[in-house]
């Protein structure tokens, strides 16, 4: 989903055990033009330090609720390496920050997210990849500071940066919103970072190798307009440029994980007990609990890791879905897996919204979202406390 930085500003940051504040601004790098951190306004909590949240911790953006779900606890955030509110983000801080959470370093490879052009949430793939020799030194910029920078076209000034359009799946900045009111009253245009020739941070000026007339004649951007792929295509055709979705054929589709994963310090059995209590408290039912280790042992197969698979269901919602399409029964009931990984206990489930999309049943999208929201709530309740 594409959304503006100003729209996201003020969204509530919903951690695993409650709200931690609101979005204040963003830090992005000036090489890949990708959001590396959001800055949280925590009010009176954790005063005297900047609270930075990496996209690795951002589970989902909910436009209706105006929230961003964070896969961290307040304790994890509080114990993370501190950054004074009056200091810039240094490499020393980033090394400590990424090391604390165990995430792969985004500068540890040639792509937008290190070895990948998109965020990889699977820790197994982090271990497979390792650290690349092709590292680079990021220099982070504030979205708040860059707003207002002048835009220099090939033949003169054209306007100033008003806002940024962010892809909340890859967290890339897809466009800069340019206000051209001094030349064409009311006209706003979009410029891709890929079309930027250079940036003079000293002069607060962005140079694009496009003539003013071409920008004037480009498809107009309005806040009411939907950023559809048709609109983006027409924009790229106008400038005779290739769309970013062509260069990143596997990024957007794989950037959104099918799995919802949360971690906890509880044991597998403790998490399972908490989960079953949360299921009942949220008007779902537990249909079956499968002990994978015991089941495999009965089949003569030795399996060392603990893994419980808990089947849950909300009968009324299940009936609504099945009345529309019995084929969806192959994806029911919902399953939440609890297992050991990397010294932690993981709770994971397949996204109901993603599963439903496979059945081409858009009329059931609202039900699937309701189920998904409740299951996430159940999992959060299970890992907290």
């Amino acid at each position: 989903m594409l959304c503006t930085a100003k729209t996201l500003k003020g969204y509530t940051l919903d951690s695993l055990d409650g709200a931690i504040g609101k979005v204040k601004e963003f830090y992005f790098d000036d090489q890949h033009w990708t959001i590396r951190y959001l800055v949280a306004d925590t009010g009176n909590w954790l005063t005297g330090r900047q609270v930075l949240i990496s996209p690795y911790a951002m589970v989902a953006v909910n436009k209706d609720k105006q929230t961003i779900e964070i896969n961290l606890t307040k304790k994890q955030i509080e114990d993370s390496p501190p950054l004074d509110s009056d200091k810039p983000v240094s490499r020393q801080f980033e090394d400590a920050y990424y090391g604390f959470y165990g995430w792969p370093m985004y500068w540890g490879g040639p792509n937008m997210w290190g070895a990948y052009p998109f965020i990889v949430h699977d820790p197994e793939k982090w271990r497979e990849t390792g650290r690349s020799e092709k590292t680079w030194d990021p220099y982070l910029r504030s979205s708040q500071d860059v707003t207002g920078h002048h835009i220099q076209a090939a033949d003169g000034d054209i306007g100033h940066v008003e806002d940024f359009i962010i892809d909340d799946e890859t967290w890339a900045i897809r466009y800069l919103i340019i206000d051209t009111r001094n030349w064409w009253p009311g006209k706003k245009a979009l410029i891709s970072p890929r079309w930027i020739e250079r940036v003079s941070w000293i002069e607060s000026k962005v140079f694009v190798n496009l003539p003013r007339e071409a920008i004037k004649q480009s498809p107009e951007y309005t806040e009411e307009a939907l950023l559809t792929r048709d609109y983006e295509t027409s924009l790229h055709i106008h400038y005779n440029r290739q769309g970013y979705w062509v260069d990143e054929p596997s990024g957007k589709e794989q950037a959104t994980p099918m799995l919802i994963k949360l971690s906890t310090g509880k044991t597998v059995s403790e998490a399972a007990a908490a989960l079953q209590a949360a299921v009942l408290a949220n008007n779902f039912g537990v249909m079956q609990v499968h002990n994978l280790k015991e089941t495999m042992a009965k089949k003569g197969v030795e399996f060392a890791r603990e893994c419980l698979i808990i089947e849950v269901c909300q009968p009324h919602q299940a009936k609504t879905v099945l009345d529309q399409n019995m084929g969806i029964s192959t994806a029911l009931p919902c399953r939440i897996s609890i297992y050991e990984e990397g010294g932690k206990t993981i709770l994971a489930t397949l996204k109901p919204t993603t599963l439903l999309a496979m059945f081409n049943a858009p009329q059931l999208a609202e039900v699937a979202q309701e189920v998904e929201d409740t299951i996430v709530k159940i999992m959060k309740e299970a890992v907290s406390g």
Side-chain angles (χ1 to χ4, degrees):
M1 179 177 70
L2 298 180
C3 45
T4 67
K6 287 183 179 177
T7 296
L8 294 176
K9 185 177 179 179
Y11 271 33
T12 298
L13 298 170
D14 191 7
S15 75
L16 294 176
D17 49 1
I20 64 167
K22 296 181 181 295
V23 178
K24 180 180 179 182
E25 59 176 315
F26 299 91
Y27 283 132
F28 65 93
D29 73 87
D30 58 5
Q31 177 164 322
H32 290 283
W33 286 77
T34 299
I35 301 298
R36 300 306 178 186
Y37 305 98
L38 64 76
V39 182
D41 180 355
T42 60
N44 296 325
W45 184 60
L46 297 183
T47 56
R49 60 180 278 192
Q50 292 190 70
V51 175
L52 305 185
I53 306 295
S54 164
Y56 273 107
M58 300 181 205
V59 178
V61 175
N62 190 315
K63 193 172 182 179
D64 293 332
K65 296 181 180 179
Q66 297 189 354
T67 61
I68 299 179
E69 294 179 20
I70 305 298
N71 187 15
L72 297 172
T73 64
K74 290 182 178 179
K75 180 66 173 173
Q76 285 177 300
I77 297 170
E78 187 172 3
D79 290 345
S80 66
L83 177 65
D84 293 342
S85 58
D86 59 347
K87 290 186 177 180
V89 181
S90 66
R91 169 54 68 84
Q92 182 181 5
F93 168 80
E94 290 198 279
D95 282 336
Y97 181 89
Y98 269 74
F100 175 81
Y101 287 114
W103 295 323
M105 295 172 289
Y106 65 83
W107 60 90
N111 298 303
M112 186 187 300
W113 288 99
Y116 296 92
F118 48 86
I119 301 176
V120 172
H121 293 269
D122 186 352
E124 292 296 329
K125 291 187 177 180
W126 299 346
R127 287 191 282 270
E128 290 171 7
T129 304
R131 182 161 183 168
S132 170
E133 294 297 323
K134 296 182 179 179
T135 61
W136 52 283
D137 293 322
Y139 195 96
L140 301 185
R141 310 288 178 177
S142 162
S143 59
Q144 188 168 286
D145 291 345
V146 176
T147 299
H149 276 29
H150 291 283
I151 302 295
Q152 179 80 24
D155 52 353
D157 289 345
I158 194 65
H160 65 268
V161 178
E162 182 182 84
D163 202 355
F164 304 85
I165 293 178
I166 300 168
D167 184 333
D168 69 4
E169 293 176 329
T170 61
W171 290 96
I173 294 176
R174 296 302 185 190
Y175 304 100
L176 281 66
I177 301 177
I178 309 305
D179 188 338
T180 66
R181 72 179 67 178
N182 293 335
W183 289 267
W184 307 292
K187 170 86 174 186
K188 293 181 182 179
L190 299 186
I191 297 293
S192 167
R194 296 179 174 213
W195 308 337
I196 293 175
E197 190 174 51
R198 65 184 179 91
V199 180
S200 173
W201 301 109
I202 296 176
E203 298 177 83
S204 299
K205 187 171 288 189
V206 179
F207 294 81
V208 294
N209 191 19
L210 298 169
R212 295 172 64 183
E213 188 62 25
I215 297 174
K216 179 181 179 180
Q217 299 300 328
S218 68
E220 183 176 1
Y221 169 78
T222 64
E223 294 181 0
E224 294 76 22
L226 292 176
L227 281 169
T228 63
R229 182 50 53 83
D230 286 344
Y231 173 87
E232 290 187 276
T233 301
S234 67
L235 184 69
H236 284 74
I237 289 175
H238 172 77
Y239 288 116
N240 194 27
R241 303 295 175 98
Q242 183 169 275
Y244 61 83
W245 55 90
V246 177
D247 294 340
E248 301 170 11
S250 59
K252 193 167 185 178
E253 291 76 13
Q254 297 186 40
T256 305
M258 287 187 66
L259 283 178
I260 298 170
K261 295 175 68 174
L262 303 180
S263 63
T264 178
K266 297 178 180 178
T267 65
V268 170
S269 59
E270 289 171 343
L275 180 76
Q276 292 180 72
V279 168
L280 298 177
N282 285 277
N283 300 315
F284 269 56
V286 176
M287 299 185 67
Q288 190 74 34
V289 179
H290 302 280
N291 188 317
L292 187 59
K293 184 177 180 179
E294 290 182 358
T295 300
M296 294 183 75
K298 291 177 182 178
K299 301 295 183 181
V301 178
E302 184 177 347
F303 188 71
R305 296 172 68 180
E306 297 289 339
C307 179
L308 299 178
I309 302 170
I310 301 176
E311 296 180 349
V312 303
C313 181
Q314 212 298 326
H316 297 291
Q317 289 173 324
K319 181 180 183 300
T320 299
V321 169
L322 295 175
D323 282 344
Q324 292 288 325
N325 189 333
M326 278 300 295
I328 300 177
S329 62
T330 58
L332 297 179
C334 297
R335 297 170 180 84
I336 302 173
S337 182
I338 306 176
Y339 55 90
E340 300 169 329
E341 183 178 76
K344 296 182 179 180
T345 296
I346 305 296
L347 282 72
T349 190
L350 288 169
K351 285 187 173 183
T353 52
T354 302
L355 286 173
L356 186 73
M358 299 178 181
F359 293 91
N360 191 27
Q363 72 276 17
L364 295 172
E366 184 175 348
V367 177
Q369 189 63 61
E370 290 174 358
V371 172
E372 187 169 301
D373 289 345
T374 304
I375 287 179
V376 170
K377 183 173 182 287
I378 288 169
M379 293 170 66
K380 284 186 175 182
E381 291 176 3
V383 302
S384 65

